Amino acid sequence: MADYTTLRMGGPAGRIVAATSADEIIRAVRAADEPILVLAGGSNVVIGDAGFPGTVVLVRSGGLRVLSQDAESVTVRVEAGEPWDDLVATTVRNGWAGLECLSGIPGSTGATPIQNVGAYGQEVAETITGVEVYDRLDGTRRTVPAADCGFAYRGSIFKYQDRWVVLSVDFRLSRSPLSGPVRYAELARALGVEVGDQVPLADARAAVLRLRAGKGMVLDATDPDTRSVGSFFTNPVLDQATYALLRERAAELGEPPAWPGSDGMVKVSAAWLIDKAGFAKGHPGPGGVAISGKHTLALTNRSGTAHTGDLLTLANTIRDEVHDRFGVTLHPEPVLVNCAL
């Protein structure tokens, strides 16, 4: 399975079937013996060294069509296998605002609602109106409205389960030559504007691509730092008591970067925690894995020949040290298949 993941890791599959349309995806899933793994871009998955013993359905559908439009907005339906960054480039080119800050993210469109993909102040939950799925429980094909998708920080009802297979995603985007208000301070600095300002869509996309490339977060066959799943850990969301404990333990290190959340919760920087726990950029692990030389949150197959077990050993070491040092538990962002932390 290494050939089908951005980590370039993972043992063999029992069987691999490619599906190029929603109908083919459904037929492949119905026909396959258990277990089944539905895989598209492979950019947010870690597959164990033993591989996957069942059928892997490769989602290779593609395309976009306009469902409706008016003077202010356009609603589009995008097939699950459409490469995500190709979609973002199309929306920017057409003057449709809402996805521009999600430029450069690898993977497929169908994966974005599963994880509620977000970056630089945007999340797909803000523009998704519905997700078309095949329900393996009752054998039906239907659209789940956005309100029923259970979108949360890097999560949804579709994550960590195999009931629903995403077939397509509907997005409502603004017809505007300008981005939404820039919410992320790092992006605002890169654009030379203030937080809350709007910029041409192409400028926002270009700035995001530059920032992501500088962190090894844009796929590049010549750059070993991009053999990763992007951010390996999510930013922890803490209650006030746990946040107070963190601040106490980190007092001599300075204030942990944090952002207020709902219901009094606080989101803190996982990258800061990892760095302050003693794991700098480029920190080596066993077997040729390492923390990215560009971004502390990315764990990489630096050698190109490392095993999943090596990666998980490094991840466990980081998680345990962060917990011992700060009392905060880090959780993996990618889906772990036939392996565990």
Side-chain angles (χ1 to χ4, degrees):
M1 293 302 297
D3 290 342
Y4 300 100
T5 69
T6 56
L7 263 172
R8 296 319 206 188
M9 291 177 171
R15 178 170 174 258
I16 296 177
V17 179
T20 60
S21 69
D23 288 341
E24 285 188 9
I25 295 168
I26 293 172
R27 284 197 296 269
V29 170
R30 283 176 173 168
D33 295 327
E34 297 285 349
I36 302 171
L37 173 63
V38 179
L39 186 68
S43 62
N44 196 52
V45 63
V46 180
I47 298 177
D49 291 318
F52 187 76
T55 298
V56 177
V57 177
L58 298 177
V59 176
R60 296 295 183 258
S61 56
L64 170 156
R65 63 188 177 96
V66 175
L67 297 181
S68 64
Q69 58 184 317
D70 54 32
E72 296 182 349
S73 67
V74 57
T75 299
V76 296
R77 176 163 295 168
V78 187
E79 298 302 312
E82 180 72 11
W84 174 253
D85 195 53
D86 290 357
L87 169 63
V88 177
T90 297
T91 64
V92 169
R93 188 166 56 249
N94 289 347
W96 302 339
L99 304 180
E100 59 280 354
C101 292
L102 304 177
S103 294
I105 295 175
S108 70
T109 298
T112 62
I114 296 172
Q115 152 113 355
N116 186 18
V117 164
Y120 295 102
Q122 284 183 342
E123 288 182 337
V124 292
E126 298 169 353
T127 52
I128 289 176
T129 61
V131 180
E132 185 187 21
V133 299
Y134 172 63
D135 189 337
R136 295 181 62 203
L137 186 64
D138 60 18
T140 61
R141 178 176 178 171
R142 59 192 173 90
T143 297
V144 180
D148 296 334
C149 289
F151 288 128
Y153 173 62
R154 298 301 175 269
S156 71
I157 63 169
F158 311 113
K159 194 171 184 180
Y160 302 128
Q161 58 74 48
D162 59 5
R163 174 179 175 179
W164 293 284
V165 179
V166 175
L167 303 174
S168 66
V169 188
D170 295 349
F171 298 89
R172 180 181 294 122
L173 306 169
S174 300
R175 296 174 68 94
S176 170
L178 298 179
S179 69
V182 176
R183 301 171 183 166
Y184 207 77
E186 182 186 19
L187 178 57
R189 289 193 297 270
L191 287 163
V193 300
E194 299 295 323
V195 171
D197 287 350
Q198 294 177 274
V199 299
L201 291 174
D203 291 357
R205 173 171 167 76
V208 168
L209 288 173
R210 286 195 300 272
L211 288 171
R212 290 186 62 85
K215 299 174 182 178
M217 296 290 188
V218 176
L219 293 180
D220 181 348
T222 66
D223 184 355
D225 275 336
T226 69
R227 288 196 289 264
S228 77
V229 289
S231 297
F232 193 89
F233 295 105
T234 58
N235 290 322
V237 179
L238 309 178
D239 58 32
Q240 288 293 331
T242 308
Y243 180 55
L245 176 62
L246 166 61
R247 294 183 69 193
E248 179 182 333
R249 291 189 174 187
E252 76 278 10
L253 301 173
E255 191 71 13
W259 304 268
S262 58
D263 301 322
M265 304 295 281
V266 181
K267 182 169 70 174
V268 300
S269 168
W272 187 91
L273 294 171
I274 292 168
D275 180 69
K276 299 304 181 183
F279 301 94
K281 296 173 184 176
H283 181 93
V289 301
I291 293 176
S292 167
K294 303 180 181 69
H295 195 291
T296 315
L297 267 183
L299 307 187
T300 69
N301 179 2
R302 178 70 62 83
S303 67
T305 58
H307 297 291
T308 303
D310 300 322
L311 187 83
L312 297 179
T313 295
L314 176 58
N316 272 311
T317 300
I318 293 169
R319 184 179 63 174
D320 291 348
E321 188 63 30
V322 167
H323 185 270
D324 290 346
R325 179 69 179 82
F326 299 114
V328 175
T329 300
L330 296 179
H331 296 283
E333 184 166 322
V335 176
L336 306 183
V337 176
N338 208 14
C339 61
L341 280 184

